[in-house]
Amino acid sequence: MKQYPVVVAFGVGCLGIAVFSAMDAVVKALTLILGTYNTLLWRSFAGIGFSGLPWLWSRPARPSRHAMRLHIERGVVSAVMAVLFFWGLARTPMAQAVALTFIAPLIAQGLAVLLLKEKMKRGALLGSLLGFGGVLIILWGQSSAKMGPEAFLGAIAVMLSAVCYAYNIILMRRQAQVADPYEVAFFQSVIVALSLAVAMPWLAELPPVEHWPMLLLAALLATLSLGLLGWAYARAEASYLAPVEFTAFIWATLWGFIFFDEKVGLPTLAGAALIVAGCMIAARAPNLERDVVP
């Protein structure tokens, strides 16, 4: 396999987050129309088709039992994470919701030490304190703006989703060591769809035909982002790639303004800056000139 400097993996990770952020905007628009459950359910079923074609085309071998356990575990975690995040996103501005998810890399740093046996970074405690302060500022700004109880509950749902996503980052790194990006994307779509399908008898409604193109677009963007992130996490440590999440704030601010007329307040900017600063302090800076990965 060709070798790449880890900075290439970092760049691919950033591109994956950009695509993922575009998907967030599409799903938020659909959620406001169809509801969280039906949007995620039908997007996941569409994603099976988009991710299944390249996986089958690659003539894959049967996944190992270890890989299947990871696929199932990450799929279930991702289903819970997605429901929490998009339920909250429908009730809070995009930039604010994404800023709150920035606590995930801080949590992931600790999980990487516990689960992946990666080295603890200097300044992790200070970084966590700064991140916690940033979250408090964002929540304070939300209460000052009098956005209502729905917005506050949405913010809580987003933060719970961030906890799930922190663990998801660890699982992403583990998956990438035993499966290629095509396999990861396909089984992610399948397991998430099956997890959501459990509630179909009570909650499922067939969406109107005019919304199918946006559902297909959301599925395509989700599949593409999973492939890009899977490629990146196969070639760099989870603790190194975690900061690529910060670029999502730029995209969330842009899409929120263009499509939902959302303005970014000073508390959100200040809180996001503190969280990002905390994560950067906690992160390890590798030697990019010497660190080469397959």
Side-chain angles (χ1 to χ4, degrees), residues 7 11 57 65 70 78 89 104 107 124 137 142 175 202 245 253 266 294:
V7 69
W57 184 265
R65 295 179 66 180
L70 288 173
S78 295
L89 184 64
I107 300 171
I137 289 176
Q142 186 185 70
Q175 267 186 315
W202 300 277
E245 306 294 330
T253 301
L266 187 59

Side-chain angles (χ1 to χ4, degrees), residues 36-283:
T36 304
Y37 175 78
N38 281 286
T39 297
L40 295 178
L41 175 69
W42 300 113
R43 184 206 66 171
S44 297
F45 278 127
I48 293 175
F50 281 117
S51 59
L53 288 175
W55 183 63
L56 292 173
W57 184 265
S58 67
R59 297 182 179 181
R62 182 177 179 180
S64 66
R65 295 179 66 180
H66 176 57
M68 279 305 305
R69 284 197 297 270
L70 288 173
H71 293 327
I72 293 171
E73 185 177 2
R74 187 183 171 202
V76 172
V77 171
S78 295
V80 175
M81 176 188 75
V83 170
L84 287 169
F85 178 74
F86 288 109
W87 188 89
L89 184 64
R91 290 158 177 79
T92 57
M94 283 192 68
Q96 184 184 96
V98 168
L100 290 172
T101 66
F102 286 168
I103 61 173
L106 288 172
I107 300 171
Q109 295 251 333
L111 292 177
V113 173
L114 293 174
L115 302 177
L116 300 182
K117 308 305 180 185
E118 296 179 4
K119 294 181 179 180
M120 175 62 74
K121 284 70 181 173
R122 292 182 179 180
L125 179 58
L126 175 59
S128 297
L129 290 174
L130 285 174
F132 181 69
V135 169
L136 292 180
I137 289 176
I138 291 172
L139 293 178
W140 170 79
Q142 186 185 70
S143 63
S144 300
K146 298 179 180 180
M147 299 178 69
E150 281 281 296
F152 180 76
L153 291 175
I156 297 300
V158 168
M159 286 191 287
L160 291 174
S161 174
V163 176
C164 294
Y165 190 58
Y167 186 50
N168 194 53
I169 291 175
I170 303 303
L171 292 175
M172 195 185 310
R173 173 64 173 165
R174 283 177 166 176
Q175 267 186 315
Q177 304 307 303
V178 297
D180 62 45
Y182 299 122
E183 180 180 317
V184 170
F186 173 68
F187 282 99
Q188 171 92 343
S189 298
V190 170
I191 302 302
V192 169
L194 291 177
S195 299
L196 293 171
V198 172
M200 283 186 71
W202 300 277
L203 300 177
E205 296 179 2
L206 191 65
V209 175
E210 61 265 26
H211 299 310
W212 290 5
M214 286 186 68
L215 284 168
L216 292 173
L217 175 60
L220 177 61
L221 293 173
T223 300
L224 180 58
S225 66
L226 283 172
L228 291 168
L229 290 170
W231 190 95
Y233 275 88
R235 290 160 174 81
E237 289 186 349
S239 56
Y240 171 56
L241 287 178
V244 305
E245 306 294 330
F246 307 147
T247 60
F249 186 76
I250 300 171
W251 297 106
T253 301
L254 179 63
W255 302 141
F257 177 75
I258 292 175
F259 297 113
F260 306 105
D261 195 29
E262 297 172 350
K263 309 291 193 301
V264 180
L266 187 59
T268 297
L269 289 172
L274 272 181
I275 297 172
V276 170
C279 291
M280 295 304 293
I281 289 174

